[in-house]
Amino acid sequence: MIRSNRAETIGVLLSGGLDSAILAAHLLDSGHEIQPFYIRSQLVWELNELESVSRFLRALSSPNLRDLVTLELPVADLYRDHWSITGRNPPDASSPDEAVFLPGRNALLIVKTAVWCQLHGIEQLALAPLGTSPFADASTEFFDSLELTLNRGGQRPLRLIRPFAGMNKRQVMQLGQRYPLELTFSCISPQAGLHCGGCNKCAERQAAFRAVGREDTTRYATIPHNGRTR
């Protein structure tokens, strides 16, 4: 649950994709001031993601929107020859969601962003995992235990909030119907700056637009697998 004091700034961790973009826009529409964050970790799609984050935030153009904070968290020394670093053989449209799991990623992203928030007096950090996420590091138990750990070692108390934890993709997309979602980026194998059209995340993106009957104006490098559903 989000605290009702709208004067309080809420941190928002952005990935460039649909869910976190909708979260940021929704919080602004609800009257909150937000501090957006993006973490650079040396993954192959980040240049395109960061450009999309910047474009989307400019389009929101709200006086309650603080400047984007970009933090560095390189993981090439951890992941080494993983497809997220090399770009080789990324999970395709036929792969299960579990194939895109990045070990420790949520914990790494949250810890660095949370420490920034604690150092700067921000008491809430919002993230956009859905209630349908198959990953253990998107569960209530994960977030509750991590919040407890952060507050034992941090300078100020911080709450990790997940406004979409009780929602599915269709519900979130309905919430974001009037936002410029064409400016978001959801691809793990970009081709010359475009969505590839054939990876797991591109298939998820296509299904999300279909679920709410919204035209997908995304430019894909190859013809999308429009038959896939989620």
Side-chain angles (χ1 to χ4, degrees):
M1 180 180 296
I2 301 173
R3 289 179 181 168
S4 60
N5 180 7
R6 295 184 176 181
E8 182 180 18
T9 301
I10 299 176
V12 180
L13 186 55
L14 295 170
S15 68
L18 294 166
D19 301 336
S20 63
I22 293 170
L23 176 59
H26 176 64
L27 289 174
L28 286 172
D29 274 355
S30 299
H32 297 284
E33 180 176 88
I34 71 166
Q35 172 59 70
F37 296 94
Y38 183 82
I39 307 289
R40 291 194 292 203
S41 299
Q42 302 175 317
L43 306 180
V44 295
W45 54 82
E46 286 181 349
L47 177 61
N48 301 112
E49 270 193 350
L50 183 54
E51 290 175 347
S52 292
V53 167
S54 298
R55 286 196 300 268
F56 186 81
L57 292 177
R58 286 197 299 269
L60 296 181
S61 185
S62 168
N64 288 332
L65 177 62
R66 290 190 180 185
D67 291 339
L68 178 68
V69 169
T70 304
L71 301 173
E72 305 293 332
L73 187 66
V75 296
D77 56 345
L78 288 174
Y79 292 172
R80 295 185 179 273
D81 60 352
H82 193 270
W83 58 265
S84 62
I85 298 294
T86 67
R88 296 191 296 269
N89 301 314
D92 64 17
S94 64
S95 64
D97 287 340
E98 289 79 5
V100 301
F101 178 71
L102 299 179
R105 180 154 173 80
N106 267 2
L108 292 168
L109 297 178
I110 293 168
V111 168
K112 183 140 193 180
T113 311
V115 172
W116 194 101
C117 289
Q118 289 172 323
L119 290 173
H120 293 81
I122 293 178
E123 297 181 358
Q124 297 187 86
L125 175 60
L127 303 102
L130 308 186
T132 53
S133 173
F135 304 123
D137 64 357
S139 67
T140 297
E141 293 78 11
F142 172 83
F143 281 95
D144 285 350
S145 61
L146 183 55
E147 180 181 296
L148 181 62
T149 299
L150 289 166
N151 287 327
R152 280 178 174 167
Q155 292 184 330
R156 292 182 175 88
L158 177 73
R159 294 178 62 241
L160 302 178
I161 59 175
R162 297 170 296 134
F164 297 162
M167 302 173 69
N168 59 34
K169 195 76 168 188
R170 184 173 182 273
Q171 290 170 319
V172 171
M173 287 294 291
Q174 287 175 329
L175 190 65
Q177 279 281 42
R178 65 190 188 86
Y179 301 138
L181 301 182
E182 67 279 2
L183 301 179
T184 62
F185 194 84
S186 318
C187 178
I188 54 176
S189 185
Q191 307 295 317
L194 301 179
H195 287 75
C196 71
C199 73
N200 176 285
K201 286 298 181 180
C202 279
E204 182 181 279
R205 180 183 182 88
Q206 297 149 21
F209 281 107
R210 289 198 303 273
V212 292
R214 177 168 172 169
E215 181 183 4
D216 181 4
T217 60
T218 306
R219 292 181 61 202
Y220 295 99
T222 59
I223 297 174
H225 296 271
N226 288 321
R228 186 182 180 190
T229 59
R230 291 262 181 178

